[in-house]
């Protein structure tokens, strides 16, 4: 079957002819927008929370990272943000506008003087600097951001006044002529053109972030003019033409244009901005997902994930439940059934069949952009419905993919982040990615770690503590300063301390789904009586005082996760951490564990701690936590082989038969562990052996031999 080329392989593209069309809809009535008014008035307002949100975020500036690996990775990206020359980012924009490039070279990668995606990386860079400034309040970062915005405003004005060719609308801003957008309207395909609205989204998103995170008013003015231009191009096109445009592989990729246009509408109140957002409805996929019909196989993953964050934004502003249902259902089609152990999705940028995990493992899994966007979608869904499953996924993807995607080495000329993260045997992570899509989102990833540690309820009476990152929350509306100390992901204990303020507040602590070995929570040293069930939130509702301390212990335990399509293909975890076997071998390594189990039925009987923290050994291999950013070859999955029923040194000689669903006798037995005493173990073996006999999985002789081996086994050590 033909496989379209990935964007990584095409670094320069050509352009061609034009098209004409007739109108779709001129505008739509505003819903829940900021009051309409001048841009100067709108510029004083940050992006508002939406009334439909049950839960709301805190600003990046309200949460400060504490020490640890997250801060260390963040600091590496801050050094890049400080050092990378703004004029190199601006070079492609200035050249397109006929302005002096000041001798600066474009960044490279896809961001070249003739690349058909040029300008996208500059949009991400705006977001990087805006986030970095919101986090640190460093004056030099604000100066750099203001310089970038001023220059982009000059480019927009120059294009409007003497562009060659002159744009169709004075709001046009890009690093290439309007030709690509015209060609898309006549259904020109990739690689002749390369995702023009994707590039537009990145620029507009960066501008809005510069406004909302760093208070740059000109950024909103520029973005609003761009929004007017988008409406002028798309608002006149018939729906059928738009639908065909958005269905084109890569060329029709538009990132989160529907999201950024609704955000723009929330700031300006201009109905044409909301109307333009609705022009990006990818109706065939939207309707299928709203009806919970899974049609994702063979579609480009990152082309579609951000569309659904946009649909949630459209739901907020229109009340159209189709948008919300589609986003919820889409998330369920990707999370779990198309998600690898690290939290990423996709093979070679494409969605594969539902449940196809083992069958798709290679060196081109898990495009980092896709996880970036899945985390955004999970976060937005949580605002509407605070289901802990969204934050369970968020923790997995953040800790095992995003944190792992930054090399643990300084660089001021490259973001040093991953593109694909292979899950096949013996693969290595590749870093760098200056100018690529994952280089762009990678710059953002590591300067916003704190954005989902804490949320608050819409009424301000509840604090959600979602993640264990060391951090300090400042909540001025409640007069609260709350510090969370932890060495996550290195340890499982954290403490929340009320440093300032107090009063009645419900604190909701997320209890991760992996925390199955018993969670303990104390308040000022006294045990809390509530049940801390895995995969839930535990609520502590009381009058808090300055100095109050909450201590949460969620002990880590070794565990395995099985691939949905082959139960023998498995991944190892230690609590939330994916452990990978360090080996260059290109074939799956085979592991066997059950023969080493004691009555407690714990993988710790077969996998031993190594001298380095969070490292283990098994089968003469080292297991390392995946978030360490190196280029060592690794195995994220292994083949599990338990061919014979053996209890310690007692070998029954009976094959370890499996049910049709792949569950073996030993799987079913050890799921019942721990066993308080040998008698309990023998009783469980007997009961299960009788069941296997009744299901014709054992002969009578095999059943007896298994029970005899259980009686002879000594698993008390």
């Amino acid at each position: 079957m033909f496989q379209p080329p990935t964007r990584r392989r095409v670094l320069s593209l050509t352009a061609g002819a034009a098209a004409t069309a007739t109108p779709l809809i001129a505008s739509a009535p505003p819903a829940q927008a900021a009051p309409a008014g001048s841009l100067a008035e709108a510029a004083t307002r940050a992006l508002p929370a939406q009334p439909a949100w049950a839960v709301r975020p805190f600003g990046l500036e309200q949460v400060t990272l504490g020490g640890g690996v997250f801060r260390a990775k963040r600091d590496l990206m801050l050094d890049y943000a400080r050092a990378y020359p703004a004029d190199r980012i601006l070079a492609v924009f200035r050249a397109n506008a006929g302005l002096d490039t000041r001798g600066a070279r474009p960044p490279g990668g896809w961001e070249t003087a003739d690349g058909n995606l040029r300008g996208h990386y500059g949009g991400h860079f705006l977001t990087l600097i805006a986030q970095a400034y919101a986090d640190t309040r460093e004056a030099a970062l604000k100066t750099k951001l203001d310089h970038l915005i001023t220059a982009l405003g000059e480019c927009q004005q120059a294009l409007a006044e003497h562009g060659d060719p002159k744009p169709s609308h004075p709001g046009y801003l890009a690093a290439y002529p309007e030709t690509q957008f015209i060609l898309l309207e006549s259904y020109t395909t990739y690689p002749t053109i390369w995702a023009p609205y994707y590039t537009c989204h990145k620029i507009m998103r960066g501008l809005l972030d510069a406004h909302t995170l760093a208070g740059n008013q000109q950024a909103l003015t520029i973005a609003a003019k761009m929004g007017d231009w988008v409406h002028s191009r798309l608002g006149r096109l018939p729906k059928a033409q738009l639908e065909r445009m958005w269905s084109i592989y890569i060329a029709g990729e538009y990132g989160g244009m529907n999201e950024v246009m609704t955000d723009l509408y929330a700031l300006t109140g201009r109905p044409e901005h909301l109307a333009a957002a609705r022009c990006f409805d990818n109706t065939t996929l939207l309707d299928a997902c709203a009806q919970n019909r899974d049609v994702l196989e063979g579609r480009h993953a990152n082309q579609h994930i951000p569309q659904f964050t946009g649909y949630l934004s459209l739901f907020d502003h229109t009340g159209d439940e189709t948008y919300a249902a589609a986003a919820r259902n889409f998330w369920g089609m990707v999370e779990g059934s198309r998600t690898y152990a690290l939290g990423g999705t996709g093979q070679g940028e494409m969605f594969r069949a539902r449940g196809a995990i083992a069958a798709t493992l290679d060196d081109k899994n898990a495009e980092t952009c896709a996880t970036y966007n899945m985390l955004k979608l999970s976060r937005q869904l949580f605002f509407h419905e605070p289901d802990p499953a969204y934050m369970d996924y968020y923790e997995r993807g953040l800790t095992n993919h995003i944190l792992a995607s930054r090399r643990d080495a300084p660089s001021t000329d490259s973001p040093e982040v991953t593109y694909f993260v292979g899950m096949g045997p013996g693969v290595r992570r590749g870093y760098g990615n200056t100018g690529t899509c994952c280089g762009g989102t990678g710059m953002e990833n590591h300067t916003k770690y704190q954005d989902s540690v804490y949320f608050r309820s819409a009424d301000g009476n509840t604090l959600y503590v979602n993640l264990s990152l060391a951090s300090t929350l400042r909540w001025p509306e409640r007069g609260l300063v709350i510090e969370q100390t932890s060495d996550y992901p290195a340890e499982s204990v954290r403490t929340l301390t009320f440093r300032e303020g107090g009063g009645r507040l419900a604190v909701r602590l997320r209890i991760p789904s992996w925390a199955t070995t018993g969670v303990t929570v104390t308040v000022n040293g006294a045990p809390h009586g509530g049940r801390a069930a895995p995969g839930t939130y535990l609520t502590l509702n009381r009058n808090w005082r300055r100095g109050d301390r909450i201590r949460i212990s969620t002990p880590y335990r070794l565990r395995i996760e099985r691939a949905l399509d082959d139960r023998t293909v498995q991944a190892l975890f230690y609590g939330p951490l994916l452990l990978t076997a360090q080996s260059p071998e290109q074939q799956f390594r085979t592991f066997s564990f059950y023969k080493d189990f004691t009555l407690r039925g714990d993988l710790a009987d077969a996998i031993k701690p190594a001298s380095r923290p969070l490292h283990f050994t098994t089968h003469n291999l080292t297991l390392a936590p995946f978030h360490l950013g190196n280029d060592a070859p690794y195995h994220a999955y292994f083949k599990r082989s338990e061919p014979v029923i053996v209890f310690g040194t007692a070998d029954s000689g009976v094959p370890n038969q499996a049910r049709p669903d792949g569950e073996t006798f030993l799987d079913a037995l050890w799921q019942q562990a721990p066993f308080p005493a040998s008698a309990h173990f023998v009783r469980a073996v007997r009961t299960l052996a009788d069941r296997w006999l009744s299901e014709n999985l054992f002969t009578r002789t095999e059943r007896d031999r298994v029970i005899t081996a259980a009686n002879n086994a000594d698993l008390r050590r």
Side-chain angles (χ1 to χ4, degrees):
M1 185 175 69
F2 169 74
Q3 293 294 325
T6 68
R7 291 171 292 174
R8 300 187 80 191
R9 301 194 192 110
V10 183
L11 297 178
S12 63
L13 305 169
T14 58
T20 59
T22 53
L24 172 67
I25 300 173
S27 65
Q32 302 176 351
S38 72
L39 284 180
E41 292 170 346
T44 64
R45 296 190 295 270
L47 190 65
Q50 296 304 312
W53 293 358
V55 174
R56 300 178 181 188
F58 292 97
L60 286 177
E61 74 283 358
Q62 292 180 264
V63 183
T64 304
L65 283 178
V69 64
F70 285 90
R71 182 165 177 169
K73 300 252 191 180
R74 188 278 312 264
D75 288 350
L76 289 171
M77 196 59 76
L78 284 180
D79 288 343
Y80 174 79
R82 296 179 184 114
Y84 199 82
D87 285 341
R88 292 195 66 185
I89 295 295
L90 293 168
V92 291
F93 290 95
R94 286 171 166 158
N96 184 54
L99 301 177
D100 183 3
T101 63
R102 305 185 183 183
R105 293 178 295 106
W110 301 343
E111 195 78 2
T112 61
D114 59 353
N116 272 9
L117 209 68
R118 61 190 186 272
H120 80 109
Y121 197 70
H124 287 296
F125 194 80
L126 290 176
T127 296
L128 164 67
I129 303 298
Q131 289 177 174
Y133 173 70
D135 185 7
T136 66
R137 293 300 176 187
E138 291 181 15
L141 289 170
K142 181 67 163 62
T143 299
K144 189 171 199 171
L145 184 63
D146 291 346
H147 170 72
L148 287 160
I149 299 301
T150 298
L152 290 174
E154 292 169 352
C155 292
Q156 188 179 51
Q157 182 176 350
L159 286 168
E161 292 177 355
H162 52 75
D164 185 19
K166 195 169 184 178
S168 64
H169 186 282
Y172 181 72
L173 174 62
Y176 44 69
E178 202 173 3
T179 311
Q180 284 206 58
F181 298 91
I182 298 169
L183 289 173
L184 178 62
E185 292 169 14
S186 61
Y187 316 125
T188 303
T189 58
Y190 170 86
T192 301
I193 63 169
W194 199 356
Y197 280 101
Y198 175 95
T199 309
C200 181
H201 166 246
K202 303 313 172 191
I203 299 167
M204 291 188 69
R205 180 79 270 163
L207 290 165
L208 289 193
D209 288 339
H211 169 64
T212 59
L213 297 176
N216 187 295
Q217 297 186 17
Q218 185 185 8
L220 178 61
T221 301
I222 297 169
K225 290 179 180 178
M226 291 183 71
D228 295 342
W229 166 80
V230 171
H231 182 259
S232 75
R233 284 222 70 88
L234 300 183
R236 62 186 177 83
L237 301 182
K239 188 175 180 63
Q241 183 175 2
L242 291 168
E243 289 180 6
R244 183 171 171 185
M245 286 162 55
W246 310 142
S247 70
I248 302 172
Y249 173 78
I250 297 287
E253 181 175 2
Y254 59 72
M257 277 301 302
N258 46 4
E259 179 194 29
V260 79
M261 290 303 302
T262 52
D263 285 352
L264 182 62
Y265 169 66
L267 292 165
T268 66
R270 293 181 179 176
E272 58 267 29
H273 293 156
L274 182 62
R278 301 196 77 164
C279 289
F280 291 94
D281 284 4
N282 192 349
T283 308
T284 301
L285 180 60
L286 173 65
D287 289 347
C289 289
Q291 298 161 17
N292 208 19
R293 290 187 291 108
D294 190 335
V295 295
L296 298 187
E297 183 178 359
R299 293 179 184 266
H300 187 277
N302 200 53
Q303 180 168 347
H304 298 293
I305 298 169
Q307 295 176 3
F308 289 86
T309 306
Y311 293 148
L312 273 180
S313 295
L314 278 164
F315 166 71
D316 290 335
H317 291 285
T318 67
D320 187 339
E321 175 60 29
T322 299
Y323 291 126
R328 288 192 302 268
N329 293 336
F330 173 84
W331 187 89
M333 295 170 192
V334 178
E335 194 281 330
S337 60
R338 288 185 172 89
T339 300
Y340 300 107
L342 82 167
T345 188
Q347 180 195 37
E349 300 188 358
M350 311 298 283
F351 284 128
R352 299 307 180 192
R354 193 179 187 111
I357 300 297
T360 60
L361 301 177
D362 63 15
D363 62 345
K364 293 182 179 63
N365 300 122
E367 184 185 3
T368 305
C369 275
T371 299
Y372 160 92
N373 279 309
M374 279 297 294
L375 294 185
K376 286 185 67 174
L377 178 59
S378 301
R379 188 173 186 264
Q380 293 291 108
L381 284 165
F382 191 92
F383 293 160
H384 294 82
E385 181 183 4
D387 186 332
Y390 295 131
M391 284 297 115
D392 271 348
Y393 169 78
Y394 197 100
E395 179 186 66
R396 177 192 294 263
L398 183 72
T399 304
N400 296 298
H401 192 171
I402 299 306
L403 190 64
S405 69
R406 178 55 169 84
R407 188 200 295 272
D408 293 332
S411 175
T412 56
D413 59 7
S414 166
E416 290 301 306
V417 293
T418 57
Y419 195 106
F420 293 123
V421 180
M423 292 282 98
V427 301
R428 299 172 186 263
R429 276 171 285 182
Y431 300 94
N433 284 295
T434 296
T436 71
C437 57
C438 291
T441 55
M443 294 189 293
E444 299 181 29
N445 281 330
H446 306 284
T447 49
K448 62 171 185 175
Y449 285 132
Q450 71 268 42
D451 75 349
S452 297
V453 177
Y454 310 99
F455 295 147
R456 64 183 183 272
S457 61
D459 62 12
N461 293 327
T462 301
L463 174 67
Y464 288 79
V465 183
N466 302 311
L467 302 171
S468 300
L469 278 63
S471 53
T472 299
L473 167 67
R474 289 171 175 81
W475 190 354
E477 296 87 349
R478 293 292 305 256
L480 289 172
V481 176
I482 301 173
E483 180 186 24
Q484 180 169 213
T485 55
S486 82
D487 196 20
Y488 179 87
E491 66 175 24
S492 60
V493 177
R494 55 189 167 127
T495 301
L496 291 163
T497 303
F498 284 75
R499 295 298 185 192
E500 294 181 17
R504 173 67 63 175
L505 180 68
V507 178
R508 302 203 72 195
L509 307 171
R510 187 178 68 88
I511 309 301
S513 58
W514 50 260
T516 58
T517 57
V519 177
T520 58
V521 178
T522 63
V523 179
N524 298 330
H528 183 267
R531 180 170 179 265
T536 68
Y537 279 87
L538 174 66
T539 302
L540 282 61
N541 194 340
R542 56 177 281 164
N543 272 308
W544 301 96
R545 298 181 178 180
R546 182 176 180 178
D548 281 348
R549 298 167 66 89
I550 306 168
R551 184 180 185 274
I552 309 104
S553 175
T554 51
Y556 290 0
R557 183 183 184 184
L558 291 162
R559 59 188 175 86
I560 60 109
E561 290 188 1
R562 299 173 172 87
L564 298 175
D565 51 339
D566 185 345
R567 291 175 63 89
T568 69
V569 175
Q570 302 178 359
L572 268 168
F573 284 81
Y574 183 53
L577 298 177
L578 174 64
L579 300 177
T580 57
Q582 307 300 284
S583 169
E585 188 175 337
Q586 299 295 301
Q587 300 298 318
F588 283 111
R589 298 303 298 256
T590 300
F591 292 170
S592 177
F593 299 130
Y594 287 140
K595 60 183 175 54
D596 296 316
F597 275 18
T598 64
L599 290 175
R600 65 178 181 168
D602 197 319
L603 284 166
D605 294 325
I607 301 171
K608 301 303 180 183
S611 57
R612 292 183 64 188
L614 302 178
H615 287 65
F616 298 84
T617 60
T618 189
H619 296 78
N620 297 315
L621 293 173
T622 297
L623 304 174
F626 194 54
H627 69 264
L628 300 179
N630 56 48
D631 56 4
Y634 60 87
H635 290 236
Y637 287 87
F638 60 92
K639 290 283 283 187
R640 183 76 171 271
S641 178
E642 308 282 0
V644 179
I645 297 173
V646 178
F647 309 123
T649 59
D651 186 345
S652 72
V654 175
N656 183 30
Q657 297 286 3
R659 286 174 163 157
D661 65 359
E663 182 181 56
T664 69
F665 179 88
L666 289 174
D667 291 336
L669 173 66
W670 289 110
Q671 285 173 15
Q672 303 172 55
F675 300 102
S678 295
H680 296 82
F681 171 74
V682 172
R683 189 179 307 125
V685 171
R686 184 184 301 275
T687 300
L688 191 60
D690 287 340
R691 189 182 311 156
W692 247 242
L693 176 64
S694 70
E695 296 177 12
N696 296 317
L697 297 172
F698 280 169
T699 65
R700 172 67 64 175
T701 299
E702 288 173 331
R703 175 259 186 200
D704 294 344
R705 288 166 62 187
V706 168
I707 294 172
T708 298
N711 279 306
N712 292 337
D714 182 4
L715 305 183
R716 293 173 294 177
R717 67 184 187 280

